[in-house]
Amino acid sequence: MSEQEITLDQFAGDSSESKSEESTVSDVDYPNEWGVVNFQTLISDVRYGTDTKSNTENNGYPTLRIPNIVGGKITTEDLKYTPVDDKEFERLKLAEGDILLIRTNGNPNYVGQSAVFSGELEDAIFASYLIRIRVDRDEVNPVFVKEFLNCHFGRKEMAGWISTSAGNHNLGISSIEKFSTPLPSPDEQRKIAGVLHTVDQALETTEDVVSQAKRVKKGLIQEFYSEGYYDHTEWQEVDKQDAYVMTRADRVPAEWEIRQSDEIADIKTGHTPSTSVDEYWDGDISWVDIHDLTQLEKTVIETTDDTITEEGLENSGAKLLPEETLVLCRTGAIGETAILGKEMATDQDQVTFECDESVVLPRYLMYLFEFATPQLERLSAGSTHDKIQLHFFSDLEIPLPSLDEQQKIVDAIESVDDVVIANKEQLVGLKRLKKGLQQDLLSGDVRTAGKEIDIPDEVKNYEPE
């Protein structure tokens, strides 16, 4: 963990030195008080799920499948149901504390991912691509086991047991039983699980804030770009069936102008300097491509993965664009946008708008394109790939409020966008914290023994029966 990250001290109010090594279980120098045991000795029951076809018509028992295991948690979204007889139901019925593990997938990163069932559904069962592990709670806490299976050490331990067949990566029960597993005392297991669960709760809360803020932002964009910021009373009809009209509404305020895009902005595209000429690359000019836009968590782009030189700029069709230029992706990720935070160039998959700010604000246009992305996508129809030809952008019809109203719209949406961005940054920090704590706590490099740590009820629930 980095020096900037929160450590166990902030959970326990003590000081300990922290370090982490990338190792398998057999390579880790665990504390002498810990055991390293065969996973089979901790299991009271393990079995595969049902291979009976499931449905979405509520016919049968709610059935957890691969899509319901997400980030170490169980989600009940996209739920399906499976009709099974009473004997099969009793065999597959989930109980609180059961661990569900993904046993097969085309992506090896999903295989072995686990979550603890906490009674999210009544009378739930599980599908055949999952394995249910029921552990002996006198020996081990299921939340501790889940954390181990999902951490770096557990992932590396199971990697040696995953087989590949017909493009799928598979993990069977017999292999799972052979895992080597560290086994601290029950008290230390509870504390480790408690600390990690506390971080999970913070992650979940922050994710909820992001989701809610995104919904609010979507609603504001829908309202402001249809009805306006002010209370308008007169309206003009627009033809939203025309893909060139940048609105999804049937009408906009009568006071708004409808202007052609090339009247309010200088519209360009970029270019890629020859990749075979080393002198064109790794210079001082930031060069925007599709990956920079799709990876961007903010509205303003400050840095790019690749840079070009003055020579690369001069010997290509790329153009140096001023700060505050709006960039919009026209190929692949159509509708992705960003505002340049400094002078930059772009590749040919982007279209750029140098706005006449006496008429239109770049950020107003950015949020308008977000609102009207379905219209933009229609302009790519007929292309072999999802791509909008450059000449289409000159003919877009842009609804324009007064500059004052544009600024009000931008300020309101940005206030919510700021919440999304801040909480996304917090999520990155929390995920880094979780990974670091997993490394430190599950290796024994940082000990919980002797520390006063509050144990959440979700961990206490799985005390020995």
Side-chain angles (χ1 to χ4, degrees), residues 307-429:
T307 58
I308 61 175
T309 62
E310 289 283 355
E311 189 177 356
L313 185 71
E314 292 168 3
N315 288 277
S316 71
K319 302 169 182 67
L320 191 61
L321 302 161
E323 182 180 350
E324 287 296 304
T325 297
L326 171 63
V327 180
L328 182 143
C329 186
R330 66 187 183 103
T331 302
I334 290 174
E336 292 285 346
T337 58
I339 302 291
L340 297 188
K342 62 180 182 180
E343 286 188 331
M344 296 186 185
T346 77
D347 72 359
Q348 60 275 14
D349 290 332
Q350 320 310 317
V351 61
T352 60
F353 297 81
E354 295 174 48
C355 296
D356 177 354
E357 295 192 38
S358 68
V359 179
V360 62
L361 302 178
R363 285 167 174 75
Y364 170 83
L365 195 57
M366 176 183 68
Y367 290 125
L368 174 66
F369 285 140
E370 183 173 339
F371 175 56
T373 293
Q375 300 290 83
L376 293 171
E377 290 171 340
R378 288 169 58 198
L379 292 174
S380 70
S383 301
T384 305
H385 306 287
D386 290 337
K387 182 173 185 176
I388 304 175
Q389 298 301 320
L390 181 63
H391 64 85
F392 287 157
F393 288 98
S394 298
D395 298 326
L396 301 180
E397 295 186 23
I398 309 295
L400 284 177
S402 67
L403 284 175
D404 174 67
E405 189 168 9
Q406 288 182 42
Q407 189 64 61
K408 294 288 188 183
I409 289 171
V410 168
D411 289 345
I413 297 171
E414 278 192 332
S415 67
V416 181
D417 234 353
D418 289 344
V419 174
V420 173
I421 292 166
N423 280 274
K424 280 186 174 181
E425 290 175 349
Q426 186 174 347
L427 278 176
V428 171

Side-chain angles (χ1 to χ4, degrees), residues 131-421:
I131 292 174
R132 184 189 70 192
I133 302 170
R134 192 166 285 172
V135 296
D136 180 354
R137 295 189 198 171
D138 289 330
E139 295 291 333
V140 70
N141 187 293
V143 180
F144 173 84
V145 174
K146 181 264 291 187
E147 294 294 350
F148 170 73
L149 292 173
N150 288 338
C151 82
H152 172 77
F153 304 117
R155 302 293 298 166
K156 290 202 75 173
E157 175 69 18
M158 70 179 67
W161 298 102
I162 293 175
S163 62
T164 304
S165 175
N168 276 331
H169 305 271
N170 309 294
L171 191 61
I173 287 175
S174 61
S175 296
I176 292 171
E177 292 175 334
K178 296 172 185 174
F179 289 174
S180 294
T181 309
L183 192 65
S185 69
D187 179 64
E188 198 159 3
Q189 289 177 39
R190 286 191 294 272
K191 289 178 177 178
I192 290 170
V195 169
L196 296 175
H197 184 76
T198 298
V199 180
D200 280 340
Q201 288 178 313
L203 277 165
E204 188 171 349
T205 299
T206 308
E207 287 167 349
D208 287 344
V209 172
V210 171
S211 297
Q212 183 177 354
K214 283 183 174 179
R215 289 193 295 271
V216 171
K217 176 187 172 183
K218 184 177 180 180
L220 289 177
I221 289 176
Q222 173 74 38
E223 178 183 351
F224 291 150
Y225 284 92
S226 302
E227 306 290 329
Y229 182 86
Y230 297 122
D231 292 329
H232 296 278
T233 57
E234 297 183 3
W235 307 92
Q236 57 180 313
E237 292 186 0
V238 291
D239 183 10
K240 67 178 183 181
Q241 302 304 319
D242 184 345
Y244 287 95
V245 178
M246 291 294 100
T247 184
R248 288 156 46 205
D250 293 313
R251 65 178 194 175
V252 295
E255 297 171 27
W256 290 12
E257 288 187 84
I258 307 291
R259 298 279 295 274
Q260 199 160 294
S261 51
D262 63 357
E263 297 175 0
I264 62 172
D266 186 7
I267 302 170
K268 301 173 183 174
T269 190
H271 194 259
T272 302
S274 174
T275 55
S276 62
V277 182
D278 292 342
E279 290 76 14
Y280 292 172
W281 295 92
D282 300 323
D284 296 326
I285 300 171
S286 296
W287 181 79
V288 182
D289 66 9
I290 187 172
H291 301 291
D292 296 309
L293 291 191
T294 56
Q295 295 169 12
L296 188 66
E297 296 288 358
K298 303 179 179 181
T299 56
V300 178
I301 185 166
E302 304 282 358
T303 61
T304 56
D305 290 340
D306 296 307
T307 58
I308 61 175
T309 62
E310 289 283 355
E311 189 177 356
L313 185 71
E314 292 168 3
N315 288 277
S316 71
K319 302 169 182 67
L320 191 61
L321 302 161
E323 182 180 350
E324 287 296 304
T325 297
L326 171 63
V327 180
L328 182 143
C329 186
R330 66 187 183 103
T331 302
I334 290 174
E336 292 285 346
T337 58
I339 302 291
L340 297 188
K342 62 180 182 180
E343 286 188 331
M344 296 186 185
T346 77
D347 72 359
Q348 60 275 14
D349 290 332
Q350 320 310 317
V351 61
T352 60
F353 297 81
E354 295 174 48
C355 296
D356 177 354
E357 295 192 38
S358 68
V359 179
V360 62
L361 302 178
R363 285 167 174 75
Y364 170 83
L365 195 57
M366 176 183 68
Y367 290 125
L368 174 66
F369 285 140
E370 183 173 339
F371 175 56
T373 293
Q375 300 290 83
L376 293 171
E377 290 171 340
R378 288 169 58 198
L379 292 174
S380 70
S383 301
T384 305
H385 306 287
D386 290 337
K387 182 173 185 176
I388 304 175
Q389 298 301 320
L390 181 63
H391 64 85
F392 287 157
F393 288 98
S394 298
D395 298 326
L396 301 180
E397 295 186 23
I398 309 295
L400 284 177
S402 67
L403 284 175
D404 174 67
E405 189 168 9
Q406 288 182 42
Q407 189 64 61
K408 294 288 188 183
I409 289 171
V410 168
D411 289 345
I413 297 171
E414 278 192 332
S415 67
V416 181
D417 234 353
D418 289 344
V419 174
V420 173
I421 292 166

